[in-house]
Amino acid sequence: MVDKTNTADAEEGDSMKEIVYDIEIAKAIADRGSPRIDGIEYCDGWQDHANMGISSIVALQRWDYRYRVFMKDNLDEFARLVEEADRIVGFNSIPFDNAVCRANGVDVPDEKSYDILREVWIAAGLTPAFSYPSHIGFSLDAVSAVNLGRKKTGHGALAPVQFQRGEYGSLLDYNMNDVWLTDRLYSIVKSGQGLDDPRSPGKLLPVRVPA
């Protein structure tokens, strides 16, 4: 693993207003291999964007490195932040985070979005849309581990459980760490170094640098 964390800086002189964001959902998604948890509400699967809802959104304003937290009571403020931003960065954000936001009343335009996972797939010679099994192995956890030496602090499947149980501190801490990892990866991408392939450590993927 190459330590690239020193490239994560404020990118002085970059006047573009960028945000890095990640959402967590309110209703759990049933796992075929695990029993449902008593007392927990579930949606109808990964495409049930409206019914899964939003429990929390964490966004990092890269122009002043201010973290912001949004829940049900201030989602309108996130909508204003999206309008203000020139670029919206995420990891698997175009098919998931953006779609969930739109289904729940917040328009996050795909045309203003830079999806790191999609760009990693393209750099690996894959299509920009997920296809099983060719696209597995590129999770945020895997990409962060090989490029940053850091991993996620939990599992996304637990986030809606934490939300429904009122464990908001744990939920937001997990959500914020995902944004931190995504931002560090984005800094590496913007530096032009490319990202190490988690499926072939030592192989560099020429991830597109956003214009």
Side-chain angles (χ1 to χ4, degrees):
M1 182 195 73
V2 178
D3 182 6
K4 303 174 182 177
T5 55
N6 289 334
T7 66
D9 55 30
E11 284 118 27
E12 294 182 8
D14 189 345
S15 61
M16 177 171 283
K17 285 193 170 184
E18 299 176 313
I19 64 171
V20 179
Y21 94 111
D22 177 68
I23 75 163
E24 300 303 334
I25 60 176
K27 291 185 180 179
I29 299 173
D31 186 339
R32 293 178 182 176
S34 303
R36 294 194 176 211
I37 301 171
D38 289 342
I40 296 300
E41 289 186 280
Y42 287 79
C43 65
D44 291 330
W46 286 101
Q47 300 306 312
D48 189 16
H49 296 142
N51 193 37
M52 64 180 59
I54 297 171
S55 63
S56 67
I57 299 174
V58 172
L60 171 61
Q61 297 178 177
R62 297 191 96 242
W63 58 90
D64 59 4
Y65 273 77
R66 174 188 173 195
Y67 279 91
R68 301 186 62 185
V69 174
F70 307 94
M71 298 182 79
K72 183 179 180 179
D73 63 308
N74 65 341
L75 282 179
D76 57 334
E77 294 181 27
F78 178 66
R80 286 195 289 271
L81 181 62
V82 167
E83 290 181 1
E84 182 182 1
D86 299 311
R87 179 178 294 138
I88 303 154
V89 181
F91 194 96
N92 197 35
S93 54
I94 289 178
F96 186 72
D97 302 70
N98 290 10
V100 174
C101 283
R102 279 195 296 270
N104 287 273
V106 180
D107 182 26
V108 181
D110 290 350
E111 59 269 22
K112 289 207 303 185
S113 297
Y114 183 91
D115 186 335
I116 295 175
L117 179 57
R118 175 173 287 196
E119 298 298 333
V120 165
W121 283 338
I122 293 171
L126 302 171
T127 62
F130 179 80
S131 178
Y132 182 85
S134 61
H135 288 56
I136 63 173
F138 293 100
S139 66
L140 178 60
D141 199 49
V143 176
S144 296
V146 75
N147 285 279
L148 302 173
R150 305 286 183 91
K151 302 186 75 172
K152 289 162 65 77
T153 55
H155 195 287
L158 291 178
V161 176
Q162 292 170 333
F163 173 70
Q164 292 183 43
R165 289 175 172 170
E167 299 169 0
Y168 302 132
S170 297
L171 167 69
L172 294 173
D173 185 65
Y174 168 73
N175 197 172
M176 187 170 290
N177 186 71
D178 274 8
V179 172
W180 185 86
L181 292 173
T182 303
D183 177 63
R184 300 301 85 192
L185 293 174
Y186 185 57
S187 286
I188 297 171
V189 169
K190 288 196 76 174
S191 76
Q193 293 187 60
L195 293 171
D196 284 335
D197 187 337
R199 301 197 305 189
S200 301
K203 176 184 176 183
L204 198 63
L205 298 175
V207 181
R208 177 179 68 89
V209 179

